Amino acid sequence: MKYIITIILLTFGLSSYAQDISLKEYELENDSTSVFAFKRANPLPKRSALYSAIFPGLGQIYNKQYWKLGIVAGGLGAAAYFINFNNREYKRFRTAYIQRIDNDSTTIDEFAFAGGYAAEDLNTLQNQYRQYLEYTIIFTTVGYALNVLDAYVAAHLRNFDINEDISFKATPTFQNKQLGIALVLNFK
């Protein structure tokens, strides 16, 4: 039984060297479809979406729409700020609320002095900032998806013909004692 398994393993092991192509030939053959080929005249939509999904804004750079990078970076910066702020405030009010309701007179929260919040107010503020944090994460996710979608659509529309030779005209018409509108589409 050992000999049969050894023979099978050697047979399949030796046959795996059947493709004898050097790395240099492979690089020359696939040079135009390289993963980081940014010099394409017509960007590939899937690649553009993939780039934008891996790193937001990279798909816009691949599509040569550099001005959109500022919008994406600003959106990411705003999202990071609001996630950090809402998370910090949520933890702050949560800690104060837990310290307030623990029935231990030695723990004093930061809002206990100078007309601070009541326990119910701390609970309300904690819930409010948790809700803001969740909304911010949802909006960030939607923004991320829009970033990927924008890169994908922009790559598709890169070859869209916006020539002025295509015209559309609506004119009033009167035929057989009936008034109507004639729609004329011209391809010149």
Side-chain angles (χ1 to χ4, degrees), residues 23-70:
L23 183 61
K24 192 77 163 174
E25 292 172 1
Y26 180 76
E27 288 175 356
L28 291 175
E29 289 175 5
N30 294 323
D31 191 34
S32 63
T33 60
S34 174
V35 174
F36 294 106
F38 282 82
K39 296 182 180 183
R40 293 182 61 90
N42 302 323
L44 300 173
K46 288 181 182 178
R47 185 177 291 175
S48 178
L50 177 68
Y51 287 163
S52 203
I54 291 172
F55 188 79
L58 193 58
Q60 283 75 11
I61 292 173
Y62 177 70
N63 290 336
K64 296 183 173 93
Q65 295 179 326
Y66 304 108
W67 63 275
K68 289 183 181 179
L69 186 61

Side-chain angles (χ1 to χ4, degrees), residues 166-183:
I166 301 173
S167 65
F168 178 77
K169 186 167 74 171
T171 58
T173 183
F174 186 75
Q175 291 180 352
N176 299 331
K177 298 181 182 180
Q178 292 182 349
L179 185 62
I181 296 176
L183 304 174

Side-chain angles (χ1 to χ4, degrees), residues 13-151:
L14 294 175
S15 66
S16 65
Y17 292 103
Q19 292 181 348
D20 190 25
I21 185 170
S22 70
L23 183 61
K24 192 77 163 174
E25 292 172 1
Y26 180 76
E27 288 175 356
L28 291 175
E29 289 175 5
N30 294 323
D31 191 34
S32 63
T33 60
S34 174
V35 174
F36 294 106
F38 282 82
K39 296 182 180 183
R40 293 182 61 90
N42 302 323
L44 300 173
K46 288 181 182 178
R47 185 177 291 175
S48 178
L50 177 68
Y51 287 163
S52 203
I54 291 172
F55 188 79
L58 193 58
Q60 283 75 11
I61 292 173
Y62 177 70
N63 290 336
K64 296 183 173 93
Q65 295 179 326
Y66 304 108
W67 63 275
K68 289 183 181 179
L69 186 61
I71 295 171
V72 172
L76 284 175
Y81 170 77
F82 283 111
I83 287 173
N84 183 31
F85 175 77
N86 290 326
N87 189 34
R88 187 177 59 239
E89 292 298 311
Y90 166 69
K91 287 180 180 179
R92 182 176 162 213
F93 286 112
R94 178 175 170 78
T95 303
Y97 178 67
I98 290 172
Q99 290 175 351
R100 183 74 58 93
I101 64 169
D102 68 354
N103 293 328
D104 185 9
S105 61
T106 60
T107 58
I108 300 172
D109 61 278
E110 66 178 291
F111 301 107
F113 301 109
Y117 299 112
E120 296 81 24
D121 295 335
L122 290 174
N123 189 23
T124 302
L125 287 168
Q126 167 194 330
N127 291 336
Q128 182 179 5
Y129 278 106
R130 187 188 71 226
Q131 185 179 19
Y132 291 163
L133 178 63
E134 291 169 355
Y135 286 157
T136 305
I137 291 171
I138 290 170
F139 290 142
T140 303
T141 305
V142 168
Y144 177 79
L146 286 175
N147 166 51
V148 174
L149 182 67
D150 174 64

